[in-house]
């Protein structure tokens, strides 16, 4: 029994020593390894192409990162930088011991394009966050204009109840193949009434708040089913 214990201690000692040597070698290799490649993956959020790989490289000054020691590349700082971009919802950045920097970003998904009373334009995403317009991409979403005072001075959550209602309507329309082909625009009157503008004909639908939005659209759909055959 005593010999077995001695042999077991020796085996464990060799294993621990081996692991230590391996970790030392890896750490030494890591310190000498340069960043040779940046691999970028962009989740496009249903074809909302606000960001692509080339824009990410430009935004993080990727050409200045490649060639530097990989241990000196601050993945957390790059992640924070990316998440400060108003068109990016989330980012993950990590590096490997063989000199590869991996970046994955999720961009925000625009649901509504707002044109306020002063002509300022911005988007609203699926979380009711305001997004500035992009020079690189124009999202094909519902337009909302009229008597809207809210501005996009910073990318925060929309404040006005009226605009929240419009965003709720836009999300419902976005999720319906029928309504996305039927509704073209949302208009807010000076007294706060919300009007839906149809793509076909001169139909304008006065909408209320979004407390029973699904019920209202169901009733409207029933009306369309009755009215459209008579218009043919």
């Amino acid at each position: 029994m005593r010999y077995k214990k001695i042999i077991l201690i020796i085996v464990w000692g060799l294993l621990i020593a081996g692991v230590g040597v391996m970790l030392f070698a890896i750490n030494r290799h890591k310190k000498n390894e340069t960043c040779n490649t940046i691999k970028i993956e962009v989740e496009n959020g249903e074809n909302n192409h606000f960001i692509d790989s080339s824009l990410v490289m430009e935004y993080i000054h990727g050409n200045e990162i490649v060639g530097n020691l990989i241990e000196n590349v601050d993945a957390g700082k790059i992640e924070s930088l990316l998440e400060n971009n108003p068109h990016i919802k989330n980012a993950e950045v990590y590096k490997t011991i063989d000199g590869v920097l991996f970046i994955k970003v999720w961009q925000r998904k625009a649901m509504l394009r707002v044109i306020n009373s002063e002509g300022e334009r911005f988007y609203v995403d699926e979380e009711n966050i305001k997004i500035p317009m992009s020079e690189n991409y124009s999202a094909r979403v519902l337009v909302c204009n009229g008597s809207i005072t809210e501005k996009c001075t910073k990318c925060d959550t929309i404040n006005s109840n009226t605009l929240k209602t419009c965003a709720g309507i836009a999300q419902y329309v976005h999720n319906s193949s029928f309504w996305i082909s039927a509704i073209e625009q949302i208009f807010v009157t000076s007294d706060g009434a919300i009007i839906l503008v149809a793509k076909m004909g001169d139909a304008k639908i006065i909408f209320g708040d979004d407390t029973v939005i699904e019920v209202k659209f169901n009733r409207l759909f029933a009306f369309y089913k009755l009215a459209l055959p008579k218009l043919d």
Side-chain angles (χ1 to χ4, degrees):
M1 290 293 293
R2 182 180 298 175
Y3 292 112
K4 289 184 179 180
K5 287 183 179 180
I6 293 173
I7 293 172
L8 187 62
I9 291 171
I10 293 172
V11 170
W12 275 107
L14 291 172
L15 285 174
I16 292 171
V19 170
V21 170
M22 183 177 66
L23 290 175
F24 176 78
I26 290 173
N27 189 52
R28 186 175 180 182
H29 175 76
K30 182 178 178 181
K31 285 185 176 180
N32 296 325
E33 186 66 55
T34 59
C35 178
N36 53 70
T37 306
I38 299 177
K39 293 186 177 181
I40 300 170
E41 182 180 349
V42 179
E43 294 291 331
N44 284 325
E46 295 188 12
N47 298 318
N48 281 344
H49 303 288
F50 290 114
I51 298 291
D52 59 23
S53 298
S54 61
L55 288 173
V56 171
M57 278 289 287
E58 181 180 341
Y59 194 67
I60 66 170
H61 303 289
N63 291 332
E64 297 177 14
I65 295 174
V66 174
N68 288 320
L69 290 175
I70 193 69
E71 72 165 354
N72 292 335
V73 177
D74 192 335
K77 185 177 180 179
I78 294 172
E79 201 169 274
S80 297
L81 175 66
L82 289 168
E83 290 180 346
N84 281 331
N85 184 304
H87 297 112
I88 293 176
K89 181 179 180 180
N90 190 29
E92 286 184 359
V93 181
Y94 64 94
K95 52 192 178 179
T96 64
I97 61 171
D98 57 347
V100 180
L101 180 67
F102 286 91
I103 298 174
K104 185 173 183 177
V105 298
W106 289 261
Q107 60 182 319
R108 293 195 175 276
K109 186 189 304 181
M111 288 286 155
L112 185 68
R113 181 188 300 178
V114 178
I115 306 173
N116 69 15
S117 303
E118 298 181 10
E120 181 189 11
R121 299 165 184 256
F122 57 91
Y123 294 109
V124 175
D125 79 349
E126 75 275 16
E127 297 178 342
N128 284 354
I129 301 294
K130 291 177 281 188
I131 314 171
M133 299 296 289
S134 169
E135 296 179 357
N136 305 297
Y137 175 70
S138 179
R140 299 180 64 181
V141 293
L142 274 181
V143 174
C144 178
N145 65 342
S147 185
I148 301 169
T149 57
E150 188 142 355
K151 298 182 178 181
C152 188
T153 51
K154 60 179 182 177
C155 298
D156 56 357
T157 306
I158 53 179
N159 298 310
S160 74
N161 290 330
T162 299
L163 196 53
K164 287 178 182 178
T165 300
C166 294
I169 293 170
Q171 289 200 42
Y172 190 91
V173 169
H174 175 82
N175 292 326
S176 167
S177 57
F178 175 81
W179 290 117
I180 204 168
S181 63
I183 303 298
E184 181 175 43
Q185 180 184 349
I186 303 173
F187 182 80
V188 180
T189 66
S190 57
D191 59 355
I194 296 173
I195 298 175
L196 307 184
V197 180
K199 287 185 178 180
M200 296 179 60
D202 298 323
K204 292 181 175 59
I205 304 146
I206 300 176
F207 213 87
D209 57 42
D210 66 345
T211 52
V212 285
I213 185 169
E214 186 174 2
V215 174
K216 290 181 179 181
F217 271 108
N218 286 341
R219 290 173 179 171
L220 189 57
F221 182 70
F223 169 77
Y224 264 74
K225 287 177 67 176
L226 289 173
L228 287 178
K230 297 177 182 180
L231 296 175
D232 292 339

